[in-house]
Amino acid sequence: MPSERSLFRKVQTVVEVAKAVKVSTLEELCQEIKGLGPTMFNTSRYVAERDAFVTDISLDAIKRAVAFCRFLDLLSEEGGLTVHGRDAARKSRFGAVLGEQARLMLGRAGVKLGAVNSVIRGKLHADPPVLPTSDVLWDELQPTMSRGTFSKMLTLLIHCECGQSSQKKIYLWFS
């Protein structure tokens, strides 16, 4: 189950807000989300004058989540929902659509899930076994996407129940 602060939940929130408001830019969408104050976008920062950490909503965190939704083709340039975004806005379809979009983006980066599963199997049966983390898989598969984006895609697939992991980010298989 994804945590409240997970990328899965952030994407879900962005899609829900984009469905509910009328905006004409991604920046306006970010401001609408910030105005709602969802705690999943809270970050702590140190304020020297007060010698304390202050927790507040992060516009940068919102912008990153919105950009990621745009990357997944859930949002248009105008901040509205795309065809995939409208489909994802249906609660019963959210996980399935997100999983489909993650698979599509991995495929565009040259990653086939069958190949990922083969690498995982090989690493787990090696002597000594190698834990198949996203870094290990990225090094082996060399996708045409950044290491961080690759890791996010694998994590999204797990949250969408399109795979299984053990402990934290030790991947076992994907469907």
Side-chain angles (χ1 to χ4, degrees), residues 13-164:
T13 298
V14 170
V15 168
E16 288 171 359
V17 173
K19 177 183 177 185
V21 300
K22 180 78 171 146
V23 296
S24 55
T25 66
L26 291 171
E27 183 60 37
E28 287 178 18
L29 178 60
C30 292
Q31 291 301 327
E32 289 284 342
I33 294 168
K34 184 177 182 187
L36 295 172
T39 57
M40 68 194 56
F41 294 108
N42 281 356
T43 57
S44 294
R45 61 183 171 82
Y46 180 73
V47 179
E49 301 83 44
R50 294 173 58 189
D51 190 31
F53 283 92
V54 176
T55 300
D56 197 10
I57 193 157
S58 168
L59 186 57
D60 288 340
I62 294 170
K63 286 180 179 181
R64 282 191 302 272
V66 166
F68 193 70
C69 288
R70 179 74 188 110
F71 174 74
L72 291 173
D73 193 29
L74 300 175
L75 294 176
S76 69
E77 282 296 322
E78 296 78 32
L81 295 173
T82 62
V83 171
H84 300 295
R86 285 189 297 278
D87 194 15
R90 296 174 37 219
K91 289 189 187 291
S92 64
R93 293 274 304 140
F94 181 77
V97 172
L98 197 57
E100 289 167 14
Q101 292 305 105
R103 280 190 206 97
L104 179 67
M105 294 304 144
L106 284 167
R108 287 182 182 167
V111 177
K112 294 184 181 351
L113 291 180
V116 175
N117 289 333
S118 292
V119 171
I120 290 170
R121 206 169 20 261
K123 296 297 180 186
L124 290 174
H125 289 104
D127 188 22
V130 177
L131 296 178
T133 63
S134 64
D135 285 344
V136 168
L137 296 172
W138 189 86
D139 287 339
E140 187 78 24
L141 297 165
Q142 294 295 302
T144 59
M145 66 175 39
S146 72
R147 187 182 296 262
T149 302
F150 180 73
S151 177
K152 287 176 187 174
M153 292 297 144
L154 297 184
T155 301
L156 280 180
L157 287 172
I158 297 300
H159 288 290
C160 295
E161 298 181 1
C162 300
Q164 187 175 14

